[in-house]
Amino acid sequence: MDDIIITGGKPLAGEAVISGAKNAALPILAATLLTGGRFQFDNVPMLRDITSIQNLLGLMGADIQREGHTMFVDTGNLCQYEAPYEEVRKMRASILVLGPLLARMKRARVSLPGGCAIGARPIDLHLKGMAALGADITLEHGYVEASAERLKGAEIYFDIPTVTGTENIMMAAALAEGVTILRNAAREPEITALADILNRMGADIEGAGTPMITIHGVRELKPVSAPIIPDRIEAGTFMVAAALTHGDIHITRCEPSHLKSLMHKLEQAGAKIDVSGTSVRVRGGETILSQDVKTMPYPGFPTDMQAQFMVLMSVARGFSVISESIFENRFIHVSELKRMGADINISGSHAMIKGVPSLSGAPVMASDLRASACLVLAGLAAGGVTRISRIYHLDRGYESLEKKFAALGADIARVRAQNP
Ligand code: EPZ
């Protein structure tokens, strides 16, 4: 186990190169189960969550090789249709194998993922969608047991625009008989990326990125080679870092169009943002201006940027309110920020923030992936030394984050854990 130690207060400047998107790679790797053959994916990030799904696919019989950021996946010899608790408990997105297994193997036995730090994270909408496609679904001993001779197209309305729910049903419907229409579908760029790859595999999907997705089922699919899109949340994290440290960061190999809501808020908060192709230059303003934010499904302000933006607001001039509308427990980072001097009060799903002149370094503990990114940002802005423990949370979704910040002039290092 490692800690991260930061001596903050330095403006960050230079280039940050963005890695491939965790939340695009996970469903795309699950989609390899839909057909046999050899896939090649480039720009695959080196993350703990990617290793988790690699292990899970390997258990099912997939042959996976990595050469740096390129991954080769051969799913020609699948030997089982079970996703065991031991693997699923490490990463709840493992539920994404349910749809592909059901479509390809006609059966699936997937451990219920259970909740996590930020919320209960139910999968009822995934299961309702599979049942609508004609699958027999039973829950027993903590597992979802699903079976279907051949899935049949249906019209499915999501009560909530669920990201992985939309992805799971879209993958299952790709091989179903007939047409499936998803209404109130999630619109995240990772869904569009998945649909693009499914269509290159021979699927017939229209409307990804809009609230209505139409999937014309086909008989079979074929493997493809494709790159993984850039990680918009990693890019957003560096954008906040530039504003927070009054720095000047060139964020390259990103997709600015995926970050419009965040960039708008950062400009309102005083940052200067220049977009040029796949690069964004962010310069911090003299003063950070407080802004209210409400997290919403894409294209609204992303919940995965809520904790990071809260650090910026904690040292802004004035009051701001951050409302978390997606998850019921996504303010765990607040208590650690308060230990660093932030003035934040929570009332239900709202965090009331009174900007303070600066934060002060302290020993803190990460609790989940985006909370750990928030604590890194807080340490970069704070005066003095911050030591962050349990950074295995960070390694789930950020590739070499401390090295990327060090390259921008930060005094940051990964060290052996003080209290393993
Ligand atoms: C995806 O999670 C992302 N993970 C999350 O990123 C992200 O925060 C979330 O979407 C929202 O944008 C991946 O893509 C792997 P949801 P997901 O289903 O799909 C409720 C990160 O930090 N819901 O869109 O699990 C749910 O409780 C992670 O990278 C149901 O009620 O989220 C939540 O309140 C964290 N029933 C809301 O919908 C269901 O069956 C949105 O959840 C499914 C979801």
Side-chain angles (χ1 to χ4, degrees), residues 29 87 109 183 186-187 268 345 358 366 369 400:
L29 289 169
E87 290 302 323
R109 186 170 190 273
R183 295 192 185 279
R187 301 167 56 189
Q268 297 283 302
N345 288 295
S358 68
L369 169 54
S400 308

Side-chain angles (χ1 to χ4, degrees), residues 22-23 121-125 162-164 304 326-327 370:
K22 166 176 82 78
N23 291 349
R121 312 289 295 274
I123 59 164
D124 56 309
L125 301 178
T162 160
V163 174
T164 49
D304 291 350
I326 307 293
F327 292 112
R370 305 305 172 182

Side-chain angles (χ1 to χ4, degrees), residues 22-24 26-27 49 92-93 96 118-127 160-165 167 186 188 190 232-233 296-298 302-304 325-328 330 369-370:
K22 166 176 82 78
N23 291 349
L26 291 173
D49 275 9
R92 50 172 298 93
L96 284 164
I118 64 177
R121 312 289 295 274
I123 59 164
D124 56 309
L125 301 178
H126 296 239
L127 302 182
I160 301 172
T162 160
V163 174
T164 49
E167 293 164 345
E188 273 67 6
E190 292 76 25
R232 60 192 168 98
I233 304 302
M296 292 295 282
Y298 193 88
T303 176
D304 291 350
S325 73
I326 307 293
F327 292 112
E328 66 268 29
R330 204 168 198 176
L369 169 54
R370 305 305 172 182

Side-chain angles (χ1 to χ4, degrees), residues 297-324:
Y298 193 88
F301 190 95
T303 176
D304 291 350
M305 282 302 306
Q306 179 256 103
Q308 298 93 312
F309 197 79
M310 186 180 286
V311 182
L312 187 66
M313 292 298 99
S314 67
V315 290
R317 185 179 66 190
F319 280 87
S320 57
V321 178
I322 293 183
S323 305
E324 173 55 60

